[in-house]
Amino acid sequence: MPAAWLSAELAIQASYFVTAGLFILGLKRMSSPVTARSGILWAGAGMLVATLITFLYPGMSNYELILPAMLVGGVLAWWSGKRVAMTNMPQMIALYNGMGGGAAAAIAAVELYRGAASGYVTDSLAVAGGIIGAVSFAGSAIAFGKLQGLITRSIRFGGQQLLNLLILAAALALGVLVAGRIDAAPAAVTGLFVLALVLGVAMTLPIGGADMPVVISLYNALTGLAVGLEGFVLNNAAMIIAGTVVGSAGTLLTQLMAKAMNRSLGNVLFSGFGDTGGAATGEVSGSLKPIEAADVGVMLAFASKVIVVPGYGMAVAQAQHKIWELCQLLIDRGVNVRFAIHPVAGRMPGHMNVLLAEAGVPYDLISDLEEINAEFDTADVALIIGANDVVNPVARTDKSSPIYGMPILNADKAKNVIVIKRGKGAGFSGIENALFYLDNTRMLYGDAQKVGAELIQAVKAVG
Amino acid sequence: MPAAWLSAELAIQASYFVTAGLFILGLKRMSSPVTARSGILWAGAGMLVATLITFLYPGMSNYELILPAMLVGGVLAWWSGKRVAMTNMPQMIALYNGMGGGAAAAIAAVELYRGAASGYVTDSLAVAGGIIGAVSFAGSAIAFGKLQGLITRSIRFGGQQLLNLLILAAALALGVLVAGRIDAAPAAVTGLFVLALVLGVAMTLPIGGADMPVVISLYNALTGLAVGLEGFVLNNAAMIIAGTVVGSAGTLLTQLMAKAMNRSLGNVLFSGFGDTGGAATGEVSGSLKPIEAADVGVMLAFASKVIVVPGYGMAVAQAQHKIWELCQLLIDRGVNVRFAIHPVAGRMPGHMNVLLAEAGVPYDLISDLEEINAEFDTADVALIIGANDVVNPVARTDKSSPIYGMPILNADKAKNVIVIKRGKGAGFSGIENALFYLDNTRMLYGDAQKVGAELIQAVKAVG
Amino acid sequence: MTGMVALYIFMLAAFTGYEVIARVPVILHTPLMSGSNFVHGIVLVGAMVALGAAHTPLEKIIGFLGVLLAAGNAVGGYVVTERMLEMFKASGQGAKRRAPGAETH
Amino acid sequence: MTGMVALYIFMLAAFTGYEVIARVPVILHTPLMSGSNFVHGIVLVGAMVALGAAHTPLEKIIGFLGVLLAAGNAVGGYVVTERMLEMFKASGQGAKRRAPGAETH
Ligand SMILES: NC(=O)c1ccc[n+]([C@@H]2O[C@H](COP(=O)([O-])OP(=O)(O)OC[C@H]3O[C@@H](n4cnc5c(N)ncnc54)[C@H](OP(=O)(O)O)[C@@H]3O)[C@@H](O)[C@H]2O)c1
Ligand SMILES: NC(=O)c1ccc[n+]([C@@H]2O[C@H](COP(=O)([O-])OP(=O)(O)OC[C@H]3O[C@@H](n4cnc5c(N)ncnc54)[C@H](OP(=O)(O)O)[C@@H]3O)[C@@H](O)[C@H]2O)c1
């Protein structure tokens, strides 16, 4: 039935075209807060269309394998995606992204083992996509392991970058052998993928957990590129466009993220700064002055303006709900409460916004750095909850400090500063915080969630 | 020599690829003030590469015609482009744009007369590009004529839109005959183009001169589209990409321009508002109070802050150099002088910025609407030079006014308002201006250039 | 598809991807990373085709893994992105206020 | 080039064009209109090819006109755009100040 064949082919091509358009529009919408939510719906519709129409692919067999594979992968991902806590999002994204890279590598492997590709160029693209996909697969798995706390040590040694370079060179050499049809034996293909997987692991192990969001974004871009390359191999337009668009958008996003953290990409990949090693510790004189929750409760209850500065500590303590409950009490008492969000507070971009949104804090109480910084000197209390680096005045003054030059929240300008943290733990950068030693600063020690509950009691006790 | 042939073909394809990339990067750079100037250089380099390499096109003949045609067209355009005054830019752009449309139509005509195209689809694309190109050619010519003052009347009659629709339908019908190979006789092809040219004229004649920038931008987008379509016909990638990119960018730009003027595109094309017909004239009570140049000179010389509001009248009088001379005198006396630019002051987008830049006014003295509006109440004098609608307070209050809702410059908030204009002439919208009748307003009658010279004398006389 | 056309598509898609997200605010970095992660889940259709054409047991095993992983990428990417962006909805008005210039499209 | 590929190129080029100028400030409207007018002057290469393949006198006349017009578009478009943008140079610093966000690229 050539006619039916032709019409199936046409339907597939047309659907892929629509899918590509929906993906682009979806990404566009996702990049603006007003339309972001509809963006994922558009992209999702595109994915649905493309997946369903692919069952019509002429001459396809093995449905008895395809359907179970889709079912198993899909159900597991659905289940895990629904359950994961908001704070664990980065590693979950890493996991799903790695799966995509693995799939691209699998496509390359099938094509290369089969010897199905139709020429040097196509073979080269298959090899390139395969290597990139496998690196992204293994690297994302390591990133997941680190963020999930399964891998706690960052393995580093002299000459590490050189070793990685050698692995890469070996993989490329094998790739030339395979794509150039000099030695396309299954063993060569297998060796190629093994080397690529090793490279992914070796590249990612030395990078500290806190730098992972940037690295995950990079692997995300790489997976996109791999998918695009395999799309050329399979002559699949939807894969070509979607993969290339993500490869390009992901590269830009990686740069933007690194920039928002005041880092360069090279620095993230090759310097291993992302561990709280406490390398640089500046000298700060003065003493830490503790305070009790009951006293802070009174201070807050009778303040006219309170600015809350949440940080990484609030995230790990999952204290956002308690803090919002506290703030609601204050608002009911007529206190003017604001939240000040530093762009890199927490451990992933937009971390604090996501958490506060989850707890139900209305957006108009949340201000970013530029908006709020002029207001600190009109605040009676700056309530620092598990934040450290983002309020460290050293960033303004000490040129030798690793955070020098980063814009910070001017919490030190408030009449009173209350800092909630568990003890003397340093922040992400591992340096001392001069703010804690100021005359108008008091330390309220304890886990942010526990302290939050105590403060609620204290404010209620004021009556 | 198949080898030489192949390498020429490859060189051409590679060059076109580079050209397409340079065009896109060039346009991107042109859309930001910081990089705008380099943008045209990049795009120009792309054009040069593509033009030179095209001489290598395999199997090309008629060089004895190609070179003179390029020379004549190029030299005339160079000469006219170098000479044209800044204020006449819109019509010049219209002219060059029309030439591009004409060229696209010429390509379509050659291909259709030759019957060279290779199928229904290609023929349809040639016809579509030909019609669009011819409409753009004729329409741009009319736009040029109107702005240049060669055509002064806007011909309008009932059923005009219906007639245009009929012409379009007839052109499309002939197009179907030609592309469908039902009647591809030269006569049908000729008829097609004649109808398209008539349509371009008929569409543009009723549109008023002041709306022309938007219309020219629309024809610019249409020419881009026509070029892209003919690119598909000739299988020429540089034309396809460049044409489509301009078609899309031009469409967006047209919308942005219409929006900046507070109009909708449909309104511009079909309503004929763009003439200063004086249709709506609101009732304003009070009297116009004239003043002498000598008195204004004293007032300016002893002011501490003066805000200059230039408008269309300054452009027609070419008074920007005189005004800047005057302002320099004032600055030397210690007066704080600022220029307030309304987004639609003048008759083309960015008109005032271009003129002031030409006269050498430094950018930091120039402020746009949002920046300056809060400052008028601290100004001793608001000096209105040939501006009218952009300072008409009626836009804030009178719902029935055609400019209601347009944000205006708050010149009425200044301590003294001096209005330089020739007489009782209305502005673009044809309505009375309540500002002129305020207690603190004085009218300084005369051509802006002449008055500028008088004011310079008057300030110098103050000593 | 000829090599030249492939290059053009590559270039244009890259420009498009770059420009489309060029203005993303910091608060959307993580959801957008997740969203673009979902988009390359389209690798699923390629994996389906590859498995659909597999013959030897080895090819079938790899193909099976490919489809499984790709389905995980697509479904998981969708679920987490949707969950994150869902939260932006609740504060719609506020979000609007915080995005000047977003209305220029 | 197959029809489908042509459609893809068309779609991607249209997205690119749209996004590339999406943030243009009002003061650049006229120069950008002129600049994009210059870019479609690339019709010159098509006109050259068309005239280069013309045989009958009619074709030659039309082709000659086409090349002449196209050259006018390209050269004229370049000259006036360059002249307009030249003036923005003189006030470089000020221009920078007036374009917040321009440095994000
Ligand atoms: N946002 C991102 O995308 C991102 C990504 C990577 C890196 N970073 C970096 O991360 C840093 C973020 O700064 P930040 O101020 O948010 O955090 P931070 O500087 O890392 O400080 C967090 C503080 O919270 C305290 N803390 C930890 N657990 C706590 C708990 N359960 N209850 C109460 N307090 C607790 C810690 O002190 P104790 O141990 O004494 O309690 C610590 O000093 C910046 O340096 C930024 O560059 C950000
Ligand atoms: N910028 C754009 O892209 C664009 C495009 C199309 C339309 N528009 C529209 O154009 C208007 C622009 O407002 P505008 O305030 O700049 O100008 P306007 O409202 O058109 O007013 C110009 C004034 O200048 C005076 N004038 C004319 N020639 C003069 C001369 N030689 N010397 C001194 N004065 C002279 C006229 O009064 P006398 O006759 O009494 O001298 C007239 O009242 C807006 O309504 C806008 O919507 C703008």
Side-chain angles (χ1 to χ4, degrees), chain B residues 209-214 257 260-263 273 276 309-319 342-352 384-391 403 406 420-430 436 445-449 451, chain D residues 30:
Chain B
D211 272 342
M212 278 305 162
V214 181
M257 282 169 74
M261 286 180 205
N262 226 7
R263 308 281 306 275
F273 164 68
T276 47
V309 179
Y312 175 65
M314 185 190 82
V316 280
Q318 288 277 28
H342 191 281
V344 299
R347 286 295 181 272
M348 68 183 193
H351 203 164
M352 291 303 129
I384 319 278
I385 304 170
N388 191 334
D389 293 344
V390 300
V391 288
I403 61 169
M406 175 168 99
I420 302 177
K421 65 200 298 275
R422 295 166 309 176
K424 296 204 162 204
F428 167 63
S429 65
F436 301 164
Y445 292 117
D447 175 82
Q449 171 134 234
V451 172
Chain D
T30 299

Coordinates of all heavy atoms in Angstrom, one line a residue, chain B residues 209-214 257 260-263 273 276 309-319 342-352 384-391 403 406 420-430 436 445-449 451, chain D residues 30, ligand 2:
Chain B
G209 N 0.6 61.0 5.1 CA 2.0 61.1 5.2 C 2.6 60.7 6.6 O 3.7 60.1 6.7
A210 N 1.9 61.1 7.6 CA 2.5 60.9 8.9 C 2.5 59.5 9.4 O 3.3 59.1 10.3 CB 1.8 61.8 10.0
D211 N 1.7 58.7 8.8 CA 1.7 57.2 9.1 C 2.7 56.5 8.3 O 2.9 55.3 8.5 CB 0.3 56.6 8.8 CG -0.6 56.8 10.0 OD1 -0.1 57.0 11.1 OD2 -1.8 56.7 9.8
M212 N 3.4 57.2 7.4 CA 4.2 56.5 6.4 C 5.4 55.6 7.1 O 5.6 54.6 6.6 CB 4.8 57.5 5.4 CG 3.9 57.8 4.3 SD 3.3 56.3 3.5 CE 1.9 56.9 2.6
P213 N 6.0 56.1 8.2 CA 7.1 55.3 8.7 C 6.6 53.8 9.0 O 7.3 52.9 8.6 CB 7.5 56.0 10.0 CG 7.1 57.4 9.7 CD 5.9 57.4 8.9
V214 N 5.4 53.7 9.5 CA 4.9 52.4 9.8 C 4.7 51.6 8.5 O 5.0 50.4 8.4 CB 3.5 52.4 10.6 CG1 3.0 51.1 10.9 CG2 3.7 53.2 11.9
M257 N 6.6 49.7 16.1 CA 6.5 51.2 15.7 C 5.1 51.6 15.9 O 4.8 52.7 16.4 CB 7.0 51.3 14.3 CG 8.5 51.3 14.2 SD 9.1 51.2 12.5 CE 8.7 52.9 11.9
A260 N 4.4 52.2 19.5 CA 5.1 53.4 20.0 C 4.3 54.6 19.7 O 4.4 55.6 20.3 CB 6.5 53.5 19.5
M261 N 3.6 54.6 18.5 CA 2.8 55.7 18.2 C 1.3 55.6 18.7 O 0.5 56.4 18.2 CB 2.7 55.8 16.6 CG 4.0 56.3 16.0 SD 3.7 56.4 14.3 CE 5.4 56.2 13.8
N262 N 1.1 54.6 19.5 CA -0.2 54.5 20.1 C -1.3 54.1 19.0 O -2.4 54.5 19.1 CB -0.6 55.8 20.8 CG -1.2 55.6 22.1 OD1 -1.2 54.5 22.6 ND2 -1.7 56.6 22.7
R263 N -0.9 53.5 18.0 CA -1.8 53.1 16.9 C -1.8 51.6 16.7 O -0.8 50.9 17.1 CB -1.4 53.7 15.6 CG -1.2 55.2 15.6 CD -2.4 55.9 15.5 NE -3.3 55.6 14.4 CZ -3.2 56.1 13.2 NH1 -2.3 56.9 12.9 NH2 -4.1 55.7 12.2
F273 N -6.0 58.1 9.2 CA -6.0 59.1 10.3 C -4.7 60.0 10.1 O -4.7 61.1 10.5 CB -5.9 58.4 11.6 CG -5.5 59.3 12.8 CD1 -6.3 60.3 13.2 CD2 -4.3 59.0 13.4 CE1 -5.9 61.1 14.3 CE2 -3.9 59.8 14.5 CZ -4.7 60.8 15.0
T276 N -3.1 65.6 8.7 CA -3.5 66.7 9.6 C -4.8 67.3 9.0 O -4.7 68.4 8.4 CB -2.4 67.7 9.8 OG1 -1.9 68.0 8.5 CG2 -1.3 67.1 10.6
V309 N 12.0 71.0 25.0 CA 11.2 70.0 24.4 C 11.1 70.2 22.9 O 10.3 71.0 22.4 CB 9.7 70.0 25.0 CG1 8.9 68.9 24.4 CG2 9.8 69.9 26.5
P310 N 11.9 69.4 22.1 CA 11.8 69.6 20.7 C 10.7 68.8 20.1 O 10.3 67.7 20.6 CB 13.2 69.1 20.2 CG 13.6 68.1 21.3 CD 12.9 68.5 22.6
G311 N 10.2 69.2 19.0 CA 9.1 68.5 18.3 C 9.3 68.6 16.8 O 10.3 69.1 16.3
Y312 N 8.2 68.2 16.1 CA 8.3 68.1 14.6 C 8.7 69.5 14.0 O 9.4 69.5 13.0 CB 6.9 67.7 14.1 CG 6.8 67.7 12.6 CD1 7.6 66.9 11.8 CD2 5.9 68.6 12.0 CE1 7.5 66.9 10.5 CE2 5.8 68.6 10.6 CZ 6.6 67.7 9.8 OH 6.5 67.8 8.5
G313 N 8.2 70.6 14.6 CA 8.5 71.9 14.1 C 10.0 72.2 14.1 O 10.5 72.8 13.1
M314 N 10.7 71.7 15.1 CA 12.2 71.9 15.1 C 12.8 71.1 13.9 O 13.7 71.6 13.3 CB 12.8 71.4 16.4 CG 14.3 71.8 16.4 SD 15.2 71.0 17.8 CE 15.5 69.4 17.2
A315 N 12.2 70.0 13.6 CA 12.8 69.1 12.5 C 12.6 69.8 11.2 O 13.5 70.0 10.4 CB 12.1 67.8 12.5
V316 N 11.4 70.3 10.9 CA 11.1 71.0 9.6 C 11.9 72.2 9.4 O 12.4 72.6 8.4 CB 9.6 71.2 9.3 CG1 9.0 70.0 8.8 CG2 8.9 71.8 10.5
A317 N 12.1 72.9 10.6 CA 12.9 74.2 10.5 C 14.4 73.9 10.5 O 15.2 74.8 10.3 CB 12.5 75.1 11.7
Q318 N 14.8 72.7 10.7 CA 16.2 72.3 10.8 C 16.9 73.2 11.8 O 18.0 73.7 11.6 CB 16.9 72.5 9.4 CG 16.5 71.4 8.4 CD 17.3 70.2 8.6 OE1 17.8 69.8 9.6 NE2 17.5 69.4 7.5
A319 N 16.2 73.4 12.9 CA 16.7 74.3 13.9 C 17.6 73.7 15.0 O 18.1 74.4 15.9 CB 15.5 75.0 14.6
H342 N 10.1 63.0 23.7 CA 9.0 62.1 23.7 C 9.2 61.0 22.6 O 9.7 61.3 21.6 CB 7.7 62.9 23.4 CG 6.5 62.2 23.6 ND1 6.0 61.3 22.7 CD2 5.6 62.2 24.6 CE1 4.8 60.8 23.1 NE2 4.6 61.3 24.3
P343 N 8.8 59.8 23.0 CA 9.0 58.7 22.0 C 8.5 58.9 20.6 O 9.1 58.5 19.6 CB 8.4 57.4 22.6 CG 7.7 57.9 23.8 CD 8.2 59.2 24.2
V344 N 7.4 59.6 20.4 CA 6.9 59.9 19.1 C 7.0 61.3 18.6 O 6.3 61.8 17.8 CB 5.5 59.3 18.9 CG1 5.4 57.9 19.1 CG2 4.5 60.1 19.7
A345 N 7.9 62.1 19.3 CA 8.1 63.4 18.8 C 8.6 63.4 17.4 O 9.4 62.5 17.0 CB 9.1 64.2 19.7
G346 N 8.2 64.3 16.5 CA 8.6 64.3 15.2 C 7.8 63.3 14.3 O 6.6 63.1 14.7
R347 N 8.3 62.9 13.2 CA 7.6 62.1 12.3 C 8.1 60.7 12.0 O 7.6 59.9 11.2 CB 7.4 62.8 11.0 CG 6.4 63.9 11.0 CD 5.0 63.5 11.3 NE 4.1 64.7 11.3 CZ 3.9 65.4 12.3 NH1 4.4 65.1 13.5 NH2 3.1 66.5 12.2
M348 N 9.3 60.4 12.7 CA 9.7 59.0 12.5 C 10.3 58.6 13.9 O 10.7 59.4 14.7 CB 10.7 58.8 11.4 CG 12.1 59.5 11.6 SD 13.1 59.3 10.2 CE 14.7 59.8 10.9
P349 N 10.3 57.3 14.1 CA 10.7 56.8 15.5 C 12.2 57.2 15.7 O 13.1 57.0 14.8 CB 10.6 55.3 15.4 CG 9.6 55.1 14.3 CD 9.8 56.2 13.3
G350 N 12.5 57.8 16.8 CA 13.8 58.2 17.1 C 14.2 59.5 16.4 O 15.4 59.9 16.4
H351 N 13.3 60.2 15.8 CA 13.5 61.3 15.0 C 14.4 62.4 15.8 O 15.4 62.8 15.3 CB 12.2 62.0 14.6 CG 12.2 62.8 13.4 ND1 11.1 63.2 12.7 CD2 13.3 63.4 12.7 CE1 11.5 63.9 11.6 NE2 12.8 64.1 11.6
M352 N 13.9 62.7 16.9 CA 14.6 63.8 17.7 C 16.0 63.4 18.1 O 16.9 64.2 18.1 CB 13.8 64.2 18.9 CG 12.5 64.9 18.6 SD 12.7 66.4 17.7 CE 11.6 66.1 16.3
I384 N 9.5 74.9 24.6 CA 8.8 74.0 23.7 C 9.2 74.5 22.3 O 8.8 75.6 21.9 CB 7.3 74.0 23.8 CG1 6.9 74.0 25.3 CG2 6.7 72.9 23.0 CD1 6.9 72.7 26.0
I385 N 9.9 73.7 21.5 CA 10.3 74.1 20.2 C 9.6 73.3 19.1 O 10.0 72.2 18.8 CB 11.8 74.0 20.0 CG1 12.4 74.9 21.2 CG2 12.3 74.5 18.7 CD1 13.9 74.6 21.3
G386 N 8.5 73.9 18.5 CA 7.9 73.1 17.4 C 7.2 71.8 17.9 O 7.0 70.9 17.0
A387 N 7.0 71.7 19.1 CA 6.3 70.5 19.6 C 4.8 70.9 19.9 O 4.6 72.0 20.3 CB 7.0 69.9 20.8
N388 N 3.9 69.9 19.8 CA 2.5 70.3 20.1 C 1.8 69.1 20.8 O 1.6 69.1 22.0 CB 1.9 70.7 18.8 CG 0.5 71.3 19.0 OD1 -0.2 71.0 20.0 ND2 0.1 72.1 18.0
D389 N 1.6 68.1 20.0 CA 0.8 66.9 20.6 C 1.5 66.3 21.8 O 0.8 65.9 22.8 CB 0.6 65.8 19.5 CG -0.3 66.2 18.4 OD1 -1.0 67.2 18.6 OD2 -0.3 65.6 17.4
V390 N 2.8 66.3 21.8 CA 3.5 65.5 22.8 C 3.5 66.3 24.1 O 4.0 65.7 25.2 CB 5.0 65.2 22.4 CG1 5.0 64.4 21.1 CG2 5.8 66.5 22.2
V391 N 3.0 67.5 24.1 CA 2.9 68.3 25.4 C 1.5 68.7 25.7 O 1.2 69.6 26.5 CB 3.8 69.5 25.4 CG1 5.3 69.1 25.5 CG2 3.6 70.4 24.2
I403 N -5.9 61.7 21.0 CA -4.6 61.4 21.6 C -4.8 60.9 23.0 O -3.8 60.8 23.8 CB -3.5 62.5 21.5 CG1 -4.1 63.7 22.3 CG2 -3.2 62.8 20.1 CD1 -3.0 64.8 22.5
M406 N -2.3 58.7 25.5 CA -0.9 58.8 25.1 C -0.2 59.5 26.3 O -0.6 60.5 26.8 CB -0.7 59.6 23.8 CG 0.7 59.8 23.5 SD 0.9 60.5 21.7 CE 1.1 62.2 22.1
I420 N 7.6 77.9 21.1 CA 8.0 78.5 19.8 C 7.3 77.8 18.7 O 7.4 76.6 18.5 CB 9.5 78.3 19.6 CG1 10.3 78.9 20.8 CG2 10.0 78.9 18.3 CD1 11.8 78.7 20.7
K421 N 6.5 78.5 18.0 CA 5.8 78.0 16.8 C 5.5 79.2 15.9 O 5.6 80.3 16.3 CB 4.6 77.1 17.1 CG 3.4 77.8 17.7 CD 2.5 76.8 18.5 CE 1.9 75.8 17.5 NZ 0.7 76.3 16.9
R422 N 5.1 78.8 14.6 CA 4.9 79.9 13.6 C 3.6 80.7 13.8 O 3.5 81.9 13.5 CB 5.0 79.4 12.2 CG 6.4 78.8 11.9 CD 6.3 78.0 10.6 NE 5.2 77.0 10.8 CZ 4.8 76.2 9.8 NH1 5.4 76.2 8.7 NH2 3.8 75.4 10.1
G423 N 2.6 79.9 14.2 CA 1.3 80.6 14.4 C 0.3 79.8 15.1 O 0.6 79.2 16.1
K424 N -0.9 79.6 14.5 CA -1.9 78.8 15.2 C -2.0 77.4 14.6 O -3.0 76.7 14.8 CB -3.3 79.6 15.1 CG -3.3 80.9 15.8 CD -4.7 81.3 16.1 CE -4.7 82.4 17.2 NZ -6.0 82.4 17.9
G425 N -1.0 77.0 13.9 CA -1.0 75.7 13.3 C -1.2 74.6 14.3 O -0.6 74.6 15.4
A426 N -2.0 73.6 14.0 CA -2.3 72.5 14.9 C -1.1 71.5 14.7 O -0.4 71.5 13.7 CB -3.6 71.8 14.6
G427 N -1.1 70.5 15.6 CA -0.1 69.4 15.5 C -0.6 68.3 14.6 O -1.6 68.5 13.9
F428 N 0.1 67.2 14.6 CA -0.2 66.1 13.8 C -1.7 65.6 14.0 O -2.4 65.3 13.0 CB 0.7 64.9 14.1 CG 0.4 63.6 13.6 CD1 0.3 63.4 12.2 CD2 0.2 62.6 14.5 CE1 0.0 62.2 11.7 CE2 -0.2 61.3 14.0 CZ -0.3 61.1 12.6
S429 N -2.2 65.6 15.2 CA -3.5 65.1 15.5 C -4.6 66.1 15.2 O -5.8 65.8 15.2 CB -3.6 64.6 16.9 OG -3.5 65.8 17.8
G430 N -4.2 67.3 14.9 CA -5.2 68.4 14.5 C -6.0 68.9 15.6 O -7.0 69.6 15.3
F436 N -1.2 75.8 25.7 CA -0.9 77.1 25.1 C -1.7 78.2 25.8 O -1.4 79.4 25.8 CB -1.1 77.2 23.6 CG -0.3 76.2 22.8 CD1 -0.7 75.9 21.5 CD2 0.8 75.5 23.4 CE1 0.1 75.0 20.7 CE2 1.5 74.6 22.6 CZ 1.2 74.4 21.3
Y445 N 6.2 83.5 18.6 CA 5.9 83.2 17.3 C 7.1 83.3 16.3 O 7.9 84.2 16.4 CB 4.7 84.0 16.8 CG 3.4 83.7 17.5 CD1 2.8 84.6 18.2 CD2 2.9 82.4 17.3 CE1 1.6 84.3 18.9 CE2 1.7 82.1 18.0 CZ 1.1 83.0 18.8 OH -0.1 82.7 19.4
G446 N 7.2 82.4 15.4 CA 8.2 82.5 14.3 C 8.7 81.1 14.0 O 8.5 80.2 14.7
D447 N 9.4 81.1 12.9 CA 10.1 79.9 12.4 C 11.2 79.5 13.5 O 11.9 80.4 14.0 CB 10.7 80.1 11.1 CG 11.6 78.9 10.7 OD1 10.9 77.9 10.1 OD2 12.8 78.9 10.9
A448 N 11.2 78.2 13.8 CA 12.1 77.8 14.9 C 13.6 78.2 14.7 O 14.3 78.6 15.6 CB 12.0 76.3 15.1
Q449 N 14.0 78.1 13.5 CA 15.4 78.5 13.2 C 15.7 79.9 13.4 O 16.7 80.3 14.1 CB 15.8 78.1 11.7 CG 17.1 78.6 11.3 CD 17.9 77.5 10.5 OE1 19.0 77.2 10.9 NE2 17.3 76.9 9.5
V451 N 13.8 82.1 15.2 CA 13.7 82.4 16.6 C 14.9 82.0 17.4 O 15.4 82.7 18.3 CB 12.4 81.7 17.2 CG1 12.3 81.9 18.7 CG2 11.2 82.3 16.5
Chain D
T30 N 14.2 53.5 13.5 CA 14.5 53.9 12.1 C 15.8 53.3 11.6 O 15.8 52.7 10.5 CB 14.5 55.5 12.0 OG1 13.2 55.9 12.4 CG2 14.8 55.9 10.6
Ligands
LIG2 N1 7.7 60.0 15.8 C1 7.0 59.3 14.9 O1 7.5 58.2 14.6 C2 5.7 59.7 14.4 C3 5.2 59.2 13.2 C4 3.9 59.6 12.8 C5 3.2 60.5 13.5 N2 3.6 60.9 14.7 C6 2.8 61.9 15.4 O2 3.4 63.2 15.3 C7 3.1 63.9 16.5 C8 4.4 64.5 17.0 O3 4.2 65.5 17.9 P1 5.1 66.8 18.0 O4 4.7 67.5 19.2 O5 6.5 66.4 17.7 O6 4.7 67.6 16.7 P2 3.2 68.1 16.2 O7 2.2 67.8 17.2 O8 3.0 67.6 14.8 O9 3.3 69.7 16.2 C9 4.3 70.3 15.4 C10 4.1 71.8 15.7 O10 5.3 72.5 15.1 C11 4.9 73.7 14.6 N3 5.8 74.0 13.5 C12 5.7 73.5 12.2 N4 6.7 74.1 11.5 C13 7.4 74.9 12.3 C14 8.6 75.7 12.1 N5 9.2 75.8 10.9 N6 9.0 76.5 13.1 C15 8.4 76.4 14.3 N7 7.3 75.6 14.6 C16 6.8 74.9 13.6 C17 3.5 73.6 14.2 O11 2.7 74.8 14.5 P3 2.7 76.0 13.5 O12 2.2 75.5 12.2 O13 1.9 77.0 14.2 O14 4.2 76.5 13.4 C18 2.9 72.4 15.0 O15 2.0 72.8 15.9 C19 2.4 63.1 17.4 O16 1.0 63.2 17.4 C20 2.8 61.7 16.9 O17 1.8 60.7 17.3 C21 4.9 60.6 15.1

